[in-house]
Amino acid sequence: MKTTEPVIPIKSSSEPPHVIAPDATTIFAARAQRFDQLAAGHSLGDWLRFLAAITRAQHEALQALPTPALPDATQLARSREHRMPPLPAQSWPRDPAWHASLRQIAAAIAGAAPQAARLDLARLGGFDAGRIEALAERVLHTELYGEDAALLPYVAAALQVLWTASAARLGGSQIAALDVPGVCPCCGFLPVASVVRGGGEVGNLRYLHCALCNTEWNLVRVKCSSCDATEGISYRHLETDSVKAAGAVRAETCEACKSYLKIVYAEKDAVDPVADDLATLALDILVDEAGYSRSGPNLLLVPGG
Ligand SMILES: [Zn+2]
Ligand SMILES: [Zn+2]
């Protein structure tokens, strides 16, 4: 039996956007503030404050980055036609300017870094461009383990700057929804978490948040972002004071594929999916012990580190 294409109505301007590009002028500065806020009274406060320093350095590096080159109109049209991300993490020819961002971030955080991190940064500073690119390949292919894994968050921080600047310049309206709803429609990378925002234009809609380029895209609620299942979805959270302070963060678990991803409810606080995720590592431990594995990475975290 032949089916016809569904008629897609033209969206009215009041309809919330499917894809929201990051704001290059505020994304990292706001995240740094959130890390500082979450660090107060937290058992991992020193580490969260160091992450605030890294994120503040990302903000400075992004402002200093030369305007990134984008795919031309033909390439963008082809991406839309084939429903492919226009800035694919694994194959987009990345501007070597990100190496300068990495050096800038490393220099900015050296003073705030704990001893072990200072040694890591010094070692990273001795790497030539080829070795740095090899680390970038591991980040972009989510191979976040093995030798030198402790160096990967710094490399990832600089790659986030390049991809975020590029995604911001491209803008959400240039990007079509993909057939695979669980990967970023801008860069094809995995989400770090999802966010439900309380008010305004996107009231109570759930958006997945890209771990690499900070683009957000809409996904209906109560649906597994990894396997599309809508049954067997449940939510787990911690009942502790530190989590209350961290805002409402839950783990959305899926019985079909045994994966989970956190969902951050932004009802009152100015939450941030990356920062709120790292302030609730106890929830990862709980869900991991219950037999679920995480479906998207947080690139500022060294797994097992
Ligand atoms: Zn992305
Ligand atoms: Zn699933």
Side-chain angles (χ1 to χ4, degrees):
M1 199 171 98
K2 194 171 182 291
T3 55
T4 51
E5 286 279 327
V7 177
I8 299 165
I10 294 169
K11 283 189 175 183
S12 73
S13 60
S14 63
E15 212 165 313
H18 177 73
V19 176
I20 304 174
D23 183 337
T25 61
T26 59
I27 179 95
F28 291 116
R31 178 168 302 159
Q33 254 178 19
R34 181 62 176 159
F35 268 124
D36 275 334
Q37 190 186 0
L38 291 165
H42 196 291
S43 57
L44 298 173
D46 288 344
W47 178 60
L48 294 172
R49 269 182 286 273
F50 180 48
L51 292 170
I54 294 176
T55 309
R56 212 165 283 119
Q58 286 181 292
H59 172 75
E60 297 299 333
L62 199 160
Q63 311 316 310
L65 191 75
T67 306
L70 294 178
D72 63 26
T74 314
Q75 290 167 318
L76 288 174
R78 201 181 306 136
S79 297
R80 273 198 302 273
E81 185 191 341
H82 296 288
R83 293 180 167 248
M84 300 292 286
L87 307 176
Q90 298 185 0
S91 58
W92 185 49
R94 50 187 174 271
D95 189 327
W98 78 272
H99 288 252
S101 302
L102 177 58
R103 284 192 296 274
Q104 190 181 345
I105 292 167
I109 62 175
Q115 180 62 14
R118 226 184 326 240
L119 294 173
D120 287 337
L121 287 166
R123 212 152 59 79
L124 188 59
F127 279 23
D128 62 20
R131 285 184 82 181
I132 301 272
E133 284 295 330
L135 293 178
E137 286 296 318
R138 283 169 60 188
V139 169
L140 297 170
H141 289 81
T142 54
E143 291 160 11
L144 308 171
Y145 41 78
E147 203 188 340
D148 293 330
L151 308 181
L152 297 177
Y154 309 112
V155 172
L159 292 169
Q160 284 174 338
V161 167
L162 174 63
W163 254 273
T164 302
S166 308
R169 183 160 179 242
L170 186 60
S173 63
Q174 288 290 327
I175 296 169
L178 304 185
D179 296 329
V180 195
V183 299
C184 174
C186 178
C187 76
F189 207 72
L190 293 167
V192 58
S194 65
V195 195
V196 175
R197 294 213 163 78
E201 193 188 7
V202 296
N204 285 317
L205 290 181
R206 184 255 285 267
Y207 283 84
L208 292 168
H209 190 103
C210 179
L212 178 64
C213 78
N214 286 298
T215 291
E216 294 193 341
W217 66 104
N218 182 235
L219 182 71
V220 294
R221 292 167 76 169
V222 199
K223 184 183 181 92
C224 173
S225 62
S226 186
C227 79
D228 291 353
T230 51
E231 283 175 23
I233 307 293
S234 49
Y235 298 87
R236 289 151 201 258
H237 64 280
L238 295 167
E239 302 266 10
T240 66
D241 289 341
S242 69
V243 170
K244 262 182 229 150
V249 179
R250 290 179 191 169
E252 187 177 58
T253 59
C254 171
E255 288 314 314
C257 70
K258 285 286 175 184
S259 79
Y260 78 95
L261 199 66
K262 285 185 202 156
I263 179 163
V264 183
Y265 297 85
E267 266 137 33
K268 293 190 194 81
D269 290 321
V271 299
D272 177 87
V274 171
D276 285 78
D277 176 39
L278 293 179
T280 53
L281 289 182
L283 181 56
D284 292 87
I285 294 167
L286 180 90
V287 180
D288 186 73
E289 282 172 356
Y292 301 91
S293 41
R294 192 173 153 125
S295 61
N298 192 316
L299 294 177
L300 295 182
L301 178 72
V302 183

